[in-house]
Amino acid sequence: MKVQWTPITQQDAEEIAGWKYPDPYNFYDMTADEEDLELFVNPEKRSPHTYSAHVNGELIGFMTLDLSHHPTIDIGLGMHPDEAGKGKGESFVNSCLSFAAERCQAAAFTLSVATFNKRAIAVYERVGFIKKQTFMQATNGGHYEFLSMEK
């Protein structure tokens, strides 16, 4: 998968905010948490390190890089619901890591994933992430268990 990464546009942010995932992945719908939605769609609040992923001109994903612990970079990412679960995750995550490493001179990467998302955890392990610890996080109107991973 040849991904083209560009700074996210407002149009892309609004399109991504409308993505709807099937249950149980609807946990990741942007509209599931008003605060997260506002941080993503409001250009004044959105991270300047948020990027759109396009393949052949089609929006297929996004990534936000947190540089606060540079040279370790924390990654938040998502794939279009029509692309998820089709064996493309490993290629997509590798593209994220390559872009982030080149763009930000990263020495290491971290990410967090809901513990129920075994599919994503397996992808992250295949690309070299290791499980670090679980923690509870308030989101989507409740408290959920997440796993931190590092590469």
Side-chain angles (χ1 to χ4, degrees):
M1 173 183 329
K2 176 68 176 143
V3 178
Q4 178 185 12
W5 292 98
T6 58
I8 196 166
T9 64
Q10 185 61 27
Q11 180 179 342
D12 284 353
E14 290 174 11
E15 183 176 333
I16 291 165
W19 289 353
K20 299 295 180 196
Y21 295 89
D23 191 42
Y25 304 104
N26 59 352
F27 176 85
Y28 292 106
D29 290 357
M30 288 283 179
T31 54
D33 187 284
E34 286 185 29
E35 185 177 322
D36 289 345
L37 176 63
E38 175 69 9
L39 289 172
F40 194 79
V41 297
N42 185 330
E44 295 175 6
K45 295 182 178 182
R46 183 172 50 240
S47 167
H49 306 289
T50 302
Y51 301 91
S52 297
H54 292 86
V55 172
N56 299 323
E58 295 294 320
L59 178 64
I60 60 103
F62 69 93
M63 171 176 57
T64 299
L65 306 176
D66 180 346
L67 308 179
S68 60
H69 295 99
H70 190 270
T72 298
I73 297 179
D74 192 63
I75 298 177
L77 57 94
M79 286 183 73
H80 191 289
D82 292 345
E83 300 293 324
K86 295 184 177 178
K88 300 177 182 180
E90 196 170 331
S91 177
F92 180 73
V93 173
N94 279 325
S95 177
C96 292
L97 299 176
S98 294
F99 176 80
E102 182 180 316
R103 179 91 173 189
C104 305
Q105 292 76 51
F109 298 97
T110 58
L111 57 78
S112 298
V113 57
T115 55
F116 79 83
N117 195 346
K118 306 295 186 206
R119 187 170 73 183
I121 293 168
V123 168
Y124 300 144
E125 287 181 314
R126 284 196 305 271
V127 301
F129 279 87
I130 58 170
K131 296 175 181 176
K132 296 304 277 185
Q133 64 187 22
T134 59
F135 62 95
M136 298 301 289
Q137 181 170 315
T139 188
N140 298 16
H143 288 81
Y144 298 91
E145 187 177 57
F146 279 77
L147 171 66
S148 63
M149 301 183 79
E150 184 178 317
K151 177 179 174 155

